[in-house]
Amino acid sequence: MRRLGDTMSLMFRLQSLAIVVAVLSAAFVHLHLGEVIPPARMLAYDVVQASFIGWWIVSIAFERWRGVPDDTPDGWYPHTLQVFWFGNLATVGGFWIAMPYGTPELRLMASLLCVSPVVVEIIGSVRARGRRGFLGTIAPVGIPLGLSAWYLLSDDQQRHAVALFYGTFTAGLLMLREHLQNAVDEAYAAKAEAEAARDGRARFLAAASHDLGQPLQAARLFFDQTVNARSAAQRKAAQMRADWALGAMEQQLRQILDHLKLDARVVRPQVRELSVGSIIARLAELYEPAARLSGVRIVAAPTRLRARGDEALIERALGNLLVNAIRHARARRVLVGARRHGAKVRIWVIDDGRGVPEADRAGLFQEFAQGVWSSGDEVRGGFGLGLASTRRLAELMGGDARHEPCWENGSAFWLELPRGHG
C-alpha cells in the first residue's frame, strides 16, 4: 500500500508541477504582451488557457476520486495522453493568438518554451506494457508541427531556420523514444524470463522433493519384502519391483542432470551424419530388459536412412520417448522406425497402448507436465521433463519432436532431424 501511495503522490506531484508551469507561461504572456495584444485576442487567449488548465485540475481530481485500477504511470497513460493532446491544442492555439504581437526575439523565446513539453511527451509515451497507439505515437509531433506552420506562414526572417530546427529536434527525440522503448521492452522481457525461471526452479524443487521420495520409499519397501519373502516366487517378484523402483530413480536423476544442463545452455551438439538404423537397433537392445519386465515387446524396424545430429543427444531424446511408451502407455508392443519427411527424417516411436487423453495433449511437451494418464499405481519415472527435454534436444540439432494427434489405437511420437546424404 505504501508503494502505491508513493506512486500516486509522484504522479500527483509531477502533474501539479506541470500545471504550475502552464500557469506561469500564461502569466509570462500577460506580462510581456498584455498591453499590445487587442482585448478580444487577449480574452480568447485567456479562455483557451483557462479551459485547458481548469479541465486538467478537474480531471486529476476525478481520477483520484474514482481510483485508477493500475495505479502506476502506465495505468495513468490514457489520462496522460488526454493531457498531451489538450495541452498541444492549448499551446499551439495560444501561440497563434498571441505571438503575432510579439517581437522576433520574444517569439523565438516563447517558441522554445512552448516546445519544451515535447521532451515530456516523448518520455511519457514510452509504454511499459501494452501498445502505444496511433495518438500516442504522434502526440509529440503536435506542438512542433503547429509552431512550424505558424513560422512558415509568417514573414519572420528566421522562419525557415526555426522550422528546420523544430523538424530535426523532433526527429531526434522520436528516435530517442524508440531507443527508450526498446530498452524498456528488453527490461520487461528479461524480468518475465527471470520470473519464469524462478517459478520453474520452484516447480522443479517441488517435483524433485515429491517424486524422488516415491521410488525411494518403494525400493525400501520392496527390499524389505525381498528379505522377508517366504518363497522364491515372492522373493523374485519383490526383486523385480525393487529393480523397477531403482530404475525409476536412475531415470529421474538423469532427467535432473539433463534439465540442468539444458537450462545452463552448456549442451553443445557435435553434429555429424549418422545411420538411423544403427541407433534404433542399439536403443531397442538397450531398453529391451526394461520392456520385458513391463510385458512390452520392442520392434525395431530396419532402415537405411541417415540423419544429421549428435549421436548421444539423439539416443537421449529417443530414450525419453521409449521410456514413456514402456512405463506409461500400458502397451504390449512398441514400434521404433524411421521415414523420410522432405528434407528431414522422422524417427517414430509408436505403441498400441491406451493413448494420450485429449486433456493432456496441449501440454505434453511443457516442463513438469504429468498428465492424468501417468498417475496410475505404477512408480512414476520422472518429473514430467522427458518430453520437454526431447524437444529441446531436437531443436539443438535443428529438428523438432511432436505427438501425432491423429494416431488411433495407441500413441505415436516422432523425433525429426535433418536428413543426411545417404
Side-chain angles (χ1 to χ4, degrees):
M1 293 298 294
R2 182 176 181 180
R3 187 180 66 83
L4 293 178
D6 291 344
T7 303
M8 171 66 81
S9 63
L10 174 62
M11 294 295 298
F12 181 72
R13 288 197 300 270
L14 288 175
Q15 297 212 43
S16 299
L17 177 61
I19 291 173
V20 171
V21 173
V23 171
L24 292 176
S25 299
F28 173 85
V29 172
H30 270 274
L31 178 64
H32 292 277
L33 297 176
E35 297 181 357
V36 296
I37 298 178
R41 286 220 170 201
M42 196 72 243
L43 178 61
Y45 176 85
D46 289 338
V47 169
V48 169
Q49 301 304 312
S51 298
F52 168 60
I53 295 173
W55 167 85
W56 197 352
I57 294 173
V58 171
S59 67
I60 293 175
F62 176 74
E63 292 294 333
R64 295 202 65 176
W65 172 75
R66 75 182 183 92
V68 181
D70 182 12
D71 198 7
T72 63
D74 210 53
W76 277 76
Y77 180 76
H79 175 264
T80 304
L81 187 59
Q82 294 177 16
V83 174
F84 287 166
W85 276 104
F86 286 135
N88 289 349
L89 294 174
T91 300
V92 174
F95 191 89
W96 278 67
I97 291 171
M99 285 305 108
Y101 299 94
T103 63
E105 293 79 10
L106 183 62
R107 282 199 298 267
L108 183 60
M109 183 172 64
S111 66
L112 292 176
L113 291 175
C114 288
V115 84
S116 59
V118 175
V119 179
V120 178
E121 294 180 9
I122 286 289
I123 298 174
S125 57
V126 173
R127 298 299 307 275
R129 298 180 298 274
R131 297 175 59 86
R132 183 187 300 126
F134 178 73
L135 292 179
T137 300
I138 66 172
V141 181
I143 292 177
L145 187 63
L147 299 187
S148 297
W150 185 92
Y151 267 99
L152 291 175
L153 294 174
S154 70
D155 57 355
D156 193 291
Q157 294 182 354
Q158 304 296 325
R159 59 184 181 277
H160 294 102
V162 174
L164 179 62
F165 166 76
Y166 285 150
T168 55
F169 176 74
T170 306
L173 288 179
L174 290 175
M175 288 189 289
L176 174 62
R177 180 179 65 183
E178 294 310 308
H179 285 294
L180 288 174
Q181 186 66 67
N182 290 337
V184 170
D185 292 343
E186 291 175 0
Y188 269 87
K191 178 183 177 184
E193 184 178 352
E195 290 176 347
R198 180 198 62 197
D199 295 341
R201 285 192 295 269
R203 293 196 305 272
F204 180 81
L205 291 174
S209 63
H210 176 270
D211 285 3
L212 273 177
Q214 185 181 7
L216 179 61
Q217 291 174 358
R220 183 180 299 167
L221 173 64
F222 297 144
F223 178 77
D224 290 340
Q225 292 178 358
T226 301
V227 173
N228 300 319
R230 296 182 179 179
S231 65
Q234 291 178 341
R235 185 178 300 106
K236 183 177 180 181
Q239 288 174 346
M240 291 175 59
R241 292 175 180 174
D243 183 70
W244 178 279
L246 293 173
M249 288 186 61
E250 181 183 6
Q251 183 194 357
Q252 288 179 349
L253 291 173
R254 181 170 59 84
Q255 285 186 353
I256 290 175
L257 293 176
D258 288 348
H259 177 74
L260 293 176
K261 288 179 180 179
L262 287 171
D263 267 0
R265 298 175 182 175
V266 298
V267 179
R268 297 289 184 267
Q270 304 296 319
V271 177
R272 61 188 181 91
E273 191 166 308
L274 301 165
S275 169
V276 176
S278 299
I279 294 175
I280 291 176
R282 186 163 54 254
L283 283 173
E285 183 180 356
L286 178 65
Y287 286 94
E288 191 274 336
R292 188 171 1 100
L293 285 174
S294 300
V296 178
R297 182 166 66 95
I298 299 179
V299 178
T303 178
R304 295 182 179 180
L305 290 175
R306 300 181 69 82
R308 292 188 56 78
D310 185 304
E311 187 171 7
L313 300 188
I314 295 174
E315 291 185 359
R316 282 161 58 184
L318 276 178
N320 290 334
L321 298 182
L322 273 170
V323 167
N324 269 4
I326 294 171
R327 290 187 179 275
H328 304 304
R330 293 184 180 174
R332 290 174 300 175
R333 187 176 66 167
V334 176
L335 172 66
V336 187
R339 295 190 66 179
R340 291 183 181 180
H341 188 79
K344 304 281 187 177
V345 172
R346 283 187 177 177
I347 307 175
W348 291 81
V349 177
I350 304 171
D351 65 71
D352 60 356
R354 52 184 167 173
V356 181
E358 186 73 29
D360 288 345
R361 293 179 182 179
L364 270 178
F365 287 87
Q366 295 178 3
E367 292 181 348
F368 312 104
Q370 292 177 320
V372 297
W373 60 278
S374 65
S375 57
D377 57 359
E378 73 275 7
V379 178
R380 289 190 299 179
F383 308 108
L385 294 172
L387 292 179
S389 296
T390 294
R391 175 171 286 178
R392 292 174 68 176
L393 290 169
E395 290 173 349
L396 281 175
M397 296 179 286
D400 197 4
R402 294 188 182 276
H403 168 253
E404 183 57 54
C406 299
W407 194 266
E408 297 179 356
N409 301 322
S411 59
F413 292 83
W414 49 259
L415 172 69
E416 188 175 75
L417 298 167
R419 184 156 58 91
H421 300 293

